[in-house]
Amino acid sequence: MKKLFLTIFLALIASLASAEDKRVPYIEGSIGYFNAENNHPGNFHYGPDGNPVVSVSLTNTYNSAANYNFEVGVKNIFNNFRIGLSETFMRTKATTSGVIVTTVNTLPEVQDKGHSNTNFVMLNTYYDLPVNFDLKPYLGFGLGVSKNNKTSAEFAYSFTAGANYPLNENVYVGGKATYYQLNQSTVEDGSNNTISRSGAYALNALIGYQF
């Protein structure tokens, strides 16, 4: 699905870039800081002791970590708008803690430390603010999917604010802040347990090339 999406998007970029000279393809790479908000597992049927669950009060917490982002797109689709297809990857340490109450036992301080690998694939629209100086600020909004190594792929959206500075006619550097909102997801271990809707944010330094 992701490969098909990328193929269609690259074909769209090629057609848009060839339509008018002012439409400029670009590629970007960035690295930065990532932090995920706490979320809550739910929809438990059986506890670790094998007995039916009466109630659950669990919280997932995540350590901050590095994230890596790559984007291809086209500038000047119309006026100051551009579009880009991005993929972001991060790997964080996760801890699950809380209480599971079953029909037989109360199981406190359940902890499951492991790594959480998350990918975002987003189709983004940006507005480059019209300013009369070299530092070019912009705002963006994205729609796409989020996939964790332990959960199903789910809908996600994002908001971005950033600025770019040209080093020469083709190369530019910049920084951006992105907030992601993830839909509720399902744990892919056959249990049908869920992870509540949650958010995450990233702060990135980037370098780009426009053709």
Side-chain angles (χ1 to χ4, degrees), residues 74-149:
V74 176
K75 297 182 177 182
N76 300 322
I77 295 299
F78 58 92
N79 295 330
N80 293 311
F81 284 91
R82 57 187 166 95
I83 60 171
L85 179 68
S86 67
E87 181 168 9
T88 304
F89 172 78
M90 68 287 303
R91 176 179 172 86
T92 63
K93 290 184 178 180
T95 301
T96 302
S97 60
V99 175
I100 297 178
V101 179
T102 71
T103 54
V104 176
N105 298 304
T106 297
L107 308 171
E109 298 183 1
V110 177
Q111 293 196 353
D112 179 19
K113 295 184 178 180
H115 284 92
S116 174
N117 301 330
T118 304
N119 285 73
F120 292 92
V121 178
M122 310 293 292
L123 181 60
N124 307 296
T125 300
Y126 301 100
Y127 180 68
D128 294 310
L129 301 175
V131 293
N132 293 321
F133 43 86
D134 288 338
L135 186 66
K136 304 295 184 183
Y138 60 88
L139 299 172
F141 175 72
L143 296 173
V145 294
S146 170
K147 179 68 174 72
N148 186 277
N149 60 313

